[in-house]
Amino acid sequence: MTIAVLGGAGYIGSHTVAQLVKAGEDVVVLDNLITGHERAIDKKARFYQGDIRDYHFLSQVFSTEKIDAIIHFAAFSIVPESMQDPLKYFDNNTGGMITLLEAMKQFGIDKIVFSSTAATYGEPKQIPIKESDPQVPTNPYGESKLAMEKIIKWADVAYGIHFVALRYFNVAGAMPDGSIGEDHHPETHLIPIILQAAAGTRDNLQIFGDDYPTKDGTNVRDYVHVVDLADAHILALNYLRAGNASDAFNIGSATGFSNLEILNAARKVTGQAIPAKIGPRRPGDPSTLIAASDKARSVLGWKPQFDDVEKIIGDAWNWHENHPEGFGDRQ
Amino acid sequence: MTIAVLGGAGYIGSHTVAQLVKAGEDVVVLDNLITGHERAIDKKARFYQGDIRDYHFLSQVFSTEKIDAIIHFAAFSIVPESMQDPLKYFDNNTGGMITLLEAMKQFGIDKIVFSSTAATYGEPKQIPIKESDPQVPTNPYGESKLAMEKIIKWADVAYGIHFVALRYFNVAGAMPDGSIGEDHHPETHLIPIILQAAAGTRDNLQIFGDDYPTKDGTNVRDYVHVVDLADAHILALNYLRAGNASDAFNIGSATGFSNLEILNAARKVTGQAIPAKIGPRRPGDPSTLIAASDKARSVLGWKPQFDDVEKIIGDAWNWHENHPEGFGDRQ
């Protein structure tokens, strides 16, 4: 039986594929390569290029391969872009899920682990954020993912398609052996932006606001190493294989680091000065986001190995320093 | 400038087309005729057969006609069916809205009035239900419509597509001149089912539960005449043409009738005994649904003309008695 990883050429997807292969799983990757990189896909996985919104494509792959379960990463995830062009997000993320579920139903595939997000909570009512807290997204990206959660719940009731939704907080780092890492274009995440500035491939670095009600005035976020996040997907897969009920889990470290703390940790790890400017607040940025991840720890047995922000930044730096052009496939 | 009515061959759509034509509007109808009837479309409207999920079809119509605004009824709306096959609802209702908004954006069409539903509220927290009450759907039909409301709000923010969402409660009646009426297959609504029993085209009639905490133990619902509902769409259209901001409005009579009261009113109107059985409760039926419609009355200036349940049933009976086979186009 085979695991299909949708969006397996992307950042989190490619790390999950590598961890699945290490765990002895038979893996196929489906990716349209709009934001993914073919070179990021583990050589032991079979690759099919195509779009999850294309029912005919899904149908061909699911006819060829005997799929036991799906891990679904194939989504757009840039918040400011979602504000500018929400339909791009609803079409690919929400619409893609509808097409995918239709194909799963037709081919009798009844297990799926998929990427949800902290952005489904919007402005948190309490810190740390629990899975049962209200979900009131403040941007279309979060809204498109919340709609995916709602739709799949009804698909579970009607067709018995079991799911685990993993609500990610901030993800960073790279494979510790340096084989794969993060390569987004444009890059919008703090740690790779800081490391691009450290590597000299980016001119200016800006921190958005230093007047938030936090320890040093900058935003506080919860960081998880990409390999720990990848492993959470494998645990979720095994949870479903053991016949457990559909559920949603936060994946976070339960610890918050401010933007300035991350910057200082990066200065220490890289040995570079990394000049940065403080700019104005960016609309829609909550002050603090920290996950309560007790549920993932107790129910899935998730235990992050790399629970150290300098290790996370160190692995990311190892990748960026050795791959200033990322996977080198940019058009 | 032309009004495009999507789903204009359906029950509420065809009545709205007729009222628009009477008001001197130039109207085109788009309908896939899956549940609609070509014979229900006013002869003065131009008809294009096709599906709103087909971007190419929308693009052809919007290239041919100069569309000022859209009134969008093209959705599936049978609650029990949505429980059995939720993806049918998410694909057509939610997915259809995504495709439609993409086409509106491309063709610069910036006004839309669309059908939402009381089912977006789920089990009400208070009676009468206000527009600001929590929206927690208890079935996929309501969920698919709530997702439409959420998506269009972000389309308003990003692209300036202005909308009015009309949240319907129960709709019944027919055009008073007998020209058009309700013809669903299968029929799932109380008043037409009662009248089919009265006309002898249906054998058994069942009331689902008589142990609810209502005046006589049967469910209480809020009924609006289909012509009053059609007129609410025209008022909403004019509200948007006047440059007002996007908003959602309940459309209901603010009065509740129990299932037994409706049955007795139908016995009086038709002069038939109409035998009925009391069956068990049906899962997911709220006890009482009554709309607060003050907002539609004060903001849109909506004033129902046919605020009398015997008039509503009388017009429906006039249609059913004279058209026992509906539009006579059933395959």
Side-chain angles (χ1 to χ4, degrees):
Chain A
M1 294 291 273
T2 298
I3 308 302
V5 181
L6 281 48
Y11 173 46
I12 307 170
S14 61
H15 286 78
T16 303
V17 169
Q19 294 299 96
L20 283 165
V21 166
K22 279 177 206 160
E25 300 282 357
D26 186 58
V27 181
V28 297
V29 167
L30 288 76
D31 202 299
N32 61 14
L33 298 183
I34 289 179
T35 59
H37 309 276
E38 192 167 353
R39 290 175 197 169
I41 303 169
D42 192 289
K43 294 286 171 288
K44 294 214 181 77
R46 293 182 296 289
F47 174 51
Y48 294 88
Q49 184 172 350
D51 197 298
I52 60 159
R53 289 164 291 186
D54 178 354
Y55 185 84
H56 183 67
F57 166 66
L58 293 179
S59 166
Q60 280 188 316
V61 177
F62 296 167
S63 304
T64 308
E65 303 280 354
K66 184 146 183 58
I67 305 296
D68 174 39
I70 284 173
I71 306 185
H72 171 31
F73 298 100
F76 293 131
S77 61
I78 303 175
V79 169
E81 183 188 58
S82 82
M83 294 294 294
Q84 294 296 313
D85 195 4
L87 286 176
K88 176 174 175 179
Y89 281 69
F90 290 116
D91 178 42
N92 188 56
N93 299 2
T94 313
M97 182 61 112
I98 295 169
T99 306
L100 171 60
L101 288 170
E102 188 61 53
M104 290 178 69
K105 177 188 145 202
Q106 287 306 326
F107 286 86
I109 304 169
D110 65 356
K111 291 183 280 300
I112 176 171
V113 177
F114 76 100
S115 325
S116 184
T117 168
T120 61
Y121 295 112
E123 185 66 47
K125 294 282 168 297
Q126 60 173 355
I127 297 292
I129 301 170
K130 284 192 199 161
E131 286 85 352
S132 54
D133 284 353
Q135 289 178 289
V136 188
T138 54
N139 56 61
Y141 167 60
E143 197 85 77
S144 73
K145 289 271 171 169
L146 180 57
M148 290 167 70
E149 288 198 14
K150 301 284 189 192
I151 290 168
I152 203 166
K153 275 183 198 170
W154 292 110
D156 185 4
V157 172
Y159 319 118
I161 293 177
H162 298 123
F163 69 89
V164 167
L166 297 181
R167 297 183 189 146
Y168 308 163
F169 284 65
N170 283 41
V171 187
M175 193 58 78
D177 67 8
S179 56
I180 50 174
E182 191 164 8
D183 180 9
H184 290 119
H185 185 74
E187 186 51 71
T188 60
H189 298 113
L190 183 66
I191 289 178
I193 284 175
I194 288 175
L195 296 179
Q196 286 173 349
T201 55
R202 170 182 293 268
D203 278 344
N204 50 27
L205 168 63
Q206 199 172 177
I207 303 285
F208 297 103
D210 66 350
D211 58 349
Y212 287 95
T214 59
K215 38 194 160 187
D216 57 27
T218 63
N219 284 157
V220 168
R221 295 290 180 269
D222 179 328
Y223 293 86
V224 168
H225 194 292
V226 65
V227 172
D228 284 326
L229 180 58
D231 288 341
H233 290 80
I234 300 177
L235 292 168
L237 176 69
N238 291 332
Y239 167 90
L240 289 178
R241 281 168 164 170
N244 291 296
S246 298
D247 211 343
F249 300 91
N250 288 341
I251 302 294
S253 70
T255 312
F257 291 91
S258 76
N259 289 352
L260 282 181
E261 285 174 330
I262 294 292
L263 178 62
N264 287 327
R267 285 169 172 154
K268 187 174 158 198
V269 167
T270 64
Q272 305 287 324
I274 318 181
K277 276 187 278 196
I278 303 292
R281 286 186 183 203
R282 201 167 48 175
D285 274 341
S287 169
T288 297
L289 290 177
I290 300 174
S293 56
D294 324 37
K295 188 174 162 188
R297 290 167 201 257
S298 64
V299 177
L300 299 180
W302 182 63
K303 194 160 165 258
Q305 296 175 64
F306 306 108
D307 198 0
D308 170 354
V309 80
E310 290 187 16
K311 169 67 177 165
I312 294 175
I313 295 171
D315 284 344
W317 177 236
N318 181 37
W319 164 257
H320 282 285
E321 205 179 12
N322 292 307
H323 302 83
E325 299 296 326
F327 288 98
D329 56 359
R330 197 163 298 148
Q331 303 294 320
Chain B
M1 295 291 274
T2 298
I3 309 302
V5 182
L6 280 49
Y11 172 46
I12 308 171
S14 61
H15 287 79
T16 303
V17 168
Q19 293 299 95
L20 283 164
V21 165
K22 278 177 206 160
E25 300 283 357
D26 186 57
V27 181
V28 298
V29 167
L30 288 77
D31 202 299
N32 62 13
L33 299 184
I34 289 179
T35 58
H37 308 275
E38 191 167 354
R39 292 176 195 168
I41 304 169
D42 193 288
K43 294 286 172 289
K44 296 215 179 79
R46 294 182 294 291
F47 174 52
Y48 295 88
Q49 184 172 350
D51 196 297
I52 60 159
R53 289 165 291 187
D54 177 354
Y55 185 84
H56 183 68
F57 166 66
L58 292 178
S59 165
Q60 280 188 316
V61 176
F62 296 167
S63 304
T64 308
E65 303 280 353
K66 184 145 183 60
I67 305 297
D68 175 38
I70 284 173
I71 307 185
H72 172 30
F73 298 99
F76 293 130
S77 60
I78 302 176
V79 169
E81 184 187 57
S82 81
M83 295 294 294
Q84 294 297 314
D85 196 5
L87 287 176
K88 176 175 176 178
Y89 282 70
F90 290 115
D91 178 44
N92 188 57
N93 299 1
T94 313
M97 181 62 112
I98 295 170
T99 306
L100 172 60
L101 287 169
E102 189 60 52
M104 290 179 68
K105 177 189 145 198
Q106 287 307 324
F107 285 87
I109 304 169
D110 66 354
K111 291 183 279 298
I112 176 170
V113 177
F114 76 101
S115 324
S116 185
T117 168
T120 62
Y121 295 111
E123 185 65 47
K125 294 283 168 296
Q126 59 173 355
I127 297 291
I129 301 169
K130 285 192 199 161
E131 286 84 354
S132 54
D133 284 354
Q135 289 178 290
V136 187
T138 52
N139 56 61
Y141 166 60
E143 197 85 77
S144 73
K145 289 271 171 167
L146 180 58
M148 290 167 70
E149 288 198 13
K150 300 284 188 192
I151 291 168
I152 204 166
K153 275 183 197 172
W154 292 111
D156 185 4
V157 172
Y159 319 119
I161 293 177
H162 297 124
F163 68 89
V164 167
L166 298 181
R167 297 183 189 145
Y168 308 162
F169 284 65
N170 283 40
V171 188
M175 193 58 78
D177 67 7
S179 56
I180 50 176
E182 190 164 9
D183 180 9
H184 291 119
H185 187 73
E187 185 52 73
T188 60
H189 299 113
L190 183 67
I191 289 178
I193 284 176
I194 289 175
L195 296 179
Q196 286 173 351
T201 56
R202 170 182 292 267
D203 278 343
N204 49 28
L205 168 65
Q206 198 172 180
I207 304 284
F208 297 103
D210 66 351
D211 58 349
Y212 287 96
T214 59
K215 39 192 160 188
D216 57 25
T218 64
N219 284 158
V220 169
R221 296 289 181 269
D222 178 329
Y223 292 86
V224 169
H225 194 293
V226 65
V227 172
D228 284 325
L229 179 59
D231 288 342
H233 290 80
I234 300 177
L235 292 168
L237 176 70
N238 292 332
Y239 167 91
L240 289 178
R241 280 168 164 168
N244 292 297
S246 298
D247 211 342
F249 300 90
N250 288 342
I251 302 293
S253 70
T255 311
F257 291 91
S258 76
N259 289 351
L260 282 181
E261 285 175 332
I262 294 292
L263 178 62
N264 287 326
R267 286 170 171 154
K268 186 173 160 198
V269 166
T270 63
Q272 305 288 323
I274 318 181
K277 275 187 280 194
I278 303 291
R281 288 186 182 202
R282 202 167 47 176
D285 275 339
S287 169
T288 298
L289 290 176
I290 300 173
S293 57
D294 323 36
K295 188 173 161 186
R297 290 167 200 257
S298 64
V299 177
L300 301 179
W302 182 62
K303 194 158 166 261
Q305 297 175 64
F306 306 108
D307 199 358
D308 171 355
V309 80
E310 289 187 15
K311 169 67 177 165
I312 294 175
I313 295 171
D315 285 343
W317 177 237
N318 181 37
W319 164 258
H320 282 284
E321 206 179 10
N322 292 306
H323 302 83
E325 298 296 326
F327 288 99
D329 55 0
R330 197 164 298 149
Q331 301 296 317

